[in-house]
Structure formats: C-alpha cells, structure tokens
Amino acid sequence: MKKLVYLFLLLFTIMSCSNDDNNTKEVTKRKVETKLQLTASKASIFVGEEVVFTTKNDKGEAVNAEVLIGGATITPTYTFTKAGTYVMRAILKGYEQSNEVTVKVEMSTLSLRISQPKITAGEKVIFEVFNGEKNVTKDVKIYQEGVETALKSNEFTTKKDGDYTFIAKAEGYNDSKPVSLTVLEDPAPYGNFIILNGDKFEIDRFNLELNVITVNGKLVPEVFKTAQGELANQYSLIISNKANDKAKKSYIFIDFWVVNPSIKAGSDGKITDYGTRVLPSTKAKVILRYVYSSIVGYEISDMFSNLNETDFKFRNATFSDVLDKKQYNGKAEIMFNYKSDVKNAKNTGKTLEFQFNADTYLKENVNDK
C-alpha cells in the first residue's frame, strides 16, 4: 500500500513540473545600442565659411545628436573663425559615439575693393572687403600705407592730392593685396578766407617774409639744415583777419623751410655758396616749422616736434626778384589745412585753414645775430 502511495506522489510531482515549464513567459530581448553616423558638408574650407554637420542612425534616419569639437558643443551649422584642423564627433543617449569627422580650415586672403581708383581732392571713396563672395567689411580694418591707425570707417577723403595705398587686415585672414588711389588736385581756384575751428573770417593782410643775414656786406638768405641733412631757407607767412563779433583783429604766423638744392657747404659744414633763391612752389619741398595764432579763442602755438601733419600747398608764388630791394611785389595762390595735435595743451584739436589767391609781397626780414 505504501509503495502505491509513493508512486502516486512521484507521478503528481512530475506532472506539476511539466505544467510550470509550459506556462513560463518568454524573456524580453535586451535593447542593443546602435552606432551614430556623422557627416560634414565640406572637409576643407576657409576661415569664415560654414559647415553643416548631419547625424544619422543605422537606419539612415536623421537624429538630433550633439556635435562636439573636443569637449565643446557646436551647432549643426557652424562657422569656423580660426584656421586649423578640427575633429568632430556626435553623441546621443542610447547610442554609441559616432565616427570622427575632420575639417581643415585655412586662412583665406581678403579682397579689398575701392569705389573708384582716381578722384579729385575733396571727393570721397568707399572701400568694401570680401572673403570670396561674402562681404566682410564690418569685420575688418582698413589701413593707409605708412599710417599706424586704421581708418575710422570704410570711407576716405582728403584735400591733399597724391598717390595713396591701402590694405585690409583682420584676424584669421591673410592681408589683402594693396589697392592704389590717385587723388588729383582740385582745379578750382583758391579763395580768400580763414577758417578757425569752423568759423570763417576774412583776410585783411597777407604777406611773406624771407629770413636774410648779412655776409660780407651782402644780404643772403639764412641757411638751415633739415633732419635729413638738406639745406633750406626759412620763410614766414603773416596773416591778419578783419575784426568782427567773434574775433578781434589779430595775427597768424606760419614759419616754414623751403629746401634749396643750389646751396653748397664744405666738409666742415660752412656755407661756401648761398645759391640762388628758391621760392615756395608745388615743385619745392616745403617743411612746416611753426604755427601760431593770437586770435582770441583760437590760439595755437605749435612748433617743431609738436607739429601735426598738414596740407600746405603753394600752387603759385611769383615775385619780382630784385636783390637790392627789401620788398618784392607779386602774386600767390596758397592753401593750408592744419589740426593741432599737441597733448595736454589748450590748443589740442584746434583747426586752422586758409586759402589765399591775390596780389601780395615778399619782404626780407634781416636776422643778423
């Protein structure tokens, strides 16, 4: 009997185990991460150009992944501002890191363009700067050759004729090729007026003086030596304006040297030949030495190293050259534009302009010591 009971229990246990196996649920398969695929629209570009990065999953579907340069995140459409070789990768939660993409960024050369290569004094030119076909004018600086500071804007104007050269510069770019500008002299005749800090006055009297000394009983032009070793004579302009409400009758003095190649000197520096007289003209080299204005409210007293660059032009100066007279009648057509630039002085930034075109005279100023 006991054997039958044991046999029955054994069969029941086997059948129960069999039923449990059949009722077990299938194990859910674990999700496997897929790898991202990163691509770039360009592999080689110039500074300032854009590259579009696209990230897709293994099914070729675009996904919104994070694009990295090193550890920094960049936008999918990215503008490179510095030259170099950059390596990008993409990451997204639930995916393996993408492949690496390399972009080489080179410095491009700026292209400087000018509105017109030739103008008349007083006219304006406009510059534009391009990187390829992209206008980058607002991001660059334009320099006049020989001037350390950049132009304040992309426009340039001057009253001084001559040849000018400009280049464009910007960080991350090669400098542009030089662009030339020719400024022609304004053919309009000069007038007769003085402008001080924007206020206009009439010219009452205008004359020139030549410094002379007595050598061996004769009056000869005094000789000065320039910083470049040239020999020159010294002239002065004396101007007075008519009295009005803004300024009482006062004087303006302008001293300048005119280089005289006909002067000869020995090895000891002593003058052996005082040469022939050289009048100030468009052909002569004129060096400004002193600017002085005694007009109340418009005082200027700049000399030597304190003098700022100026536009000083003798279009015409003709006088009867009679050496035994102390005064020579003639005509002069002269233009002068000056801005005081002396630091920490009352006259800093004051301007003096004048034009003269009329009969005048040249007087000898004896400077015997």
Side-chain angles (χ1 to χ4, degrees):
M1 183 67 181
K2 288 182 179 180
K3 291 181 178 180
L4 290 174
V5 173
Y6 289 139
L7 181 60
F8 177 76
L9 290 173
L10 179 60
L11 291 171
F12 180 78
T13 300
I14 293 171
M15 291 178 66
S16 295
C17 290
S18 176
N19 288 335
D20 287 342
D21 289 342
N22 291 333
N23 292 331
T24 301
K25 296 180 180 179
E26 293 185 2
V27 177
T28 302
K29 291 184 179 179
R30 186 177 179 182
K31 184 176 181 180
V32 179
E33 293 181 344
T34 58
K35 191 172 183 178
L36 299 172
Q37 180 65 34
L38 178 65
T39 58
S41 58
K42 298 176 182 178
S44 179
I45 61 167
F46 288 110
V47 170
E49 292 185 347
E50 289 182 345
V51 175
V52 178
F53 295 98
T54 304
T55 309
K56 295 181 179 181
N57 58 23
D58 57 347
K59 295 181 180 180
E61 299 168 335
V63 294
N64 188 22
E66 189 176 1
V67 182
L68 304 176
I69 295 180
T73 302
I74 63 172
T75 56
T77 300
Y78 186 72
T79 301
F80 289 86
T81 58
K82 292 184 179 181
T85 300
Y86 299 87
V87 178
M88 274 63 59
R89 56 191 174 87
I91 59 172
L92 182 63
K93 187 176 181 180
Y95 291 83
E96 292 181 20
Q97 180 177 287
S98 76
N99 57 298
E100 291 184 342
V101 170
T102 301
V103 176
K104 185 177 181 182
V105 183
E106 297 179 317
M107 290 175 60
S108 60
T109 299
L110 295 171
S111 174
L112 178 61
R113 305 177 189 178
I114 190 170
S115 56
Q116 49 187 330
K118 186 180 292 186
I119 60 172
T120 299
E123 292 184 339
K124 178 176 65 177
V125 292
I126 299 173
F127 295 102
E128 288 186 298
V129 186
F130 288 83
N131 174 28
E133 294 303 316
K134 183 179 179 181
N135 192 319
V136 294
T137 306
K138 64 182 181 63
D139 300 320
V140 307
K141 292 184 178 180
I142 301 169
Y143 291 84
Q144 180 186 334
E145 189 178 66
V147 180
E148 293 183 0
T149 55
L151 301 182
K152 293 181 179 179
S153 70
N154 66 321
E155 298 179 355
F156 176 79
T157 184
T158 180
K159 295 179 181 179
K160 190 173 184 179
D161 60 284
D163 294 320
Y164 298 80
T165 303
F166 301 86
I167 58 172
K169 297 173 176 281
E171 185 179 354
Y173 296 88
N174 293 316
D175 295 349
S176 72
K177 292 181 179 179
V179 169
S180 297
L181 170 67
T182 298
V183 180
L184 303 174
E185 183 181 3
D186 186 351
Y190 296 149
N192 286 286
F193 56 82
I194 305 170
I195 299 176
L196 291 161
N197 293 349
D199 296 329
K200 192 171 184 178
F201 305 109
E202 295 179 43
I203 292 177
D204 182 24
R205 183 172 63 88
F206 185 105
N207 68 278
L208 286 90
E209 290 187 357
L210 170 65
N211 275 24
V212 296
I213 58 176
T214 304
V215 176
N216 297 326
K218 293 183 178 180
L219 291 177
V220 294
E222 188 174 3
V223 176
F224 298 83
K225 191 174 184 179
T226 71
Q228 289 73 38
E230 301 164 307
L231 300 176
N233 303 129
Q234 178 164 303
Y235 287 82
S236 298
L237 281 172
I238 298 95
I239 307 167
S240 62
N241 71 291
K242 289 186 176 180
N244 54 39
D245 293 337
K246 291 186 177 181
K248 295 180 179 180
K249 187 173 182 179
S250 300
Y251 293 91
I252 294 171
F253 298 91
I254 298 171
D255 292 341
F256 59 94
W257 287 347
V258 175
V259 173
N260 187 344
S262 68
I263 301 172
K264 305 298 180 184
S267 58
D268 57 358
K270 291 184 179 181
I271 305 302
T272 58
D273 185 349
Y274 285 85
T276 57
R277 187 166 303 187
V278 174
L279 292 170
S281 66
T282 55
K283 295 180 180 179
K285 182 177 180 180
V286 175
I287 302 170
L288 187 64
R289 295 291 291 167
Y290 182 45
V291 178
Y292 173 81
S293 169
S294 66
I295 299 177
V296 177
Y298 307 95
E299 295 89 349
I300 296 176
S301 183
D302 293 355
M303 64 177 64
F304 311 131
S305 61
N306 287 332
L307 288 167
N308 196 19
E309 185 178 353
T310 187
D311 189 9
F312 191 15
K313 184 175 297 179
F314 285 79
R315 185 180 283 177
N316 177 39
T318 55
F319 299 92
S320 55
D321 192 11
V322 182
L323 294 178
D324 59 351
K325 294 178 64 175
K326 292 184 179 180
Q327 181 173 309
Y328 313 98
N329 295 324
K331 294 181 65 68
E333 187 176 6
I334 305 170
M335 180 267 290
F336 183 86
N337 293 309
Y338 179 77
K339 180 178 180 181
S340 180
D341 195 30
V342 179
K343 306 293 183 184
N344 303 316
K346 292 182 179 180
N347 53 327
T348 300
K350 289 186 177 179
T351 58
L352 165 61
E353 302 178 40
F354 70 78
Q355 289 186 15
F356 180 81
N357 185 8
D359 292 336
T360 184
Y361 63 89
L362 171 65
K363 180 181 177 182
E364 290 183 348
N365 177 35
V366 181
N367 192 29
D368 287 338
K369 300 174 183 178

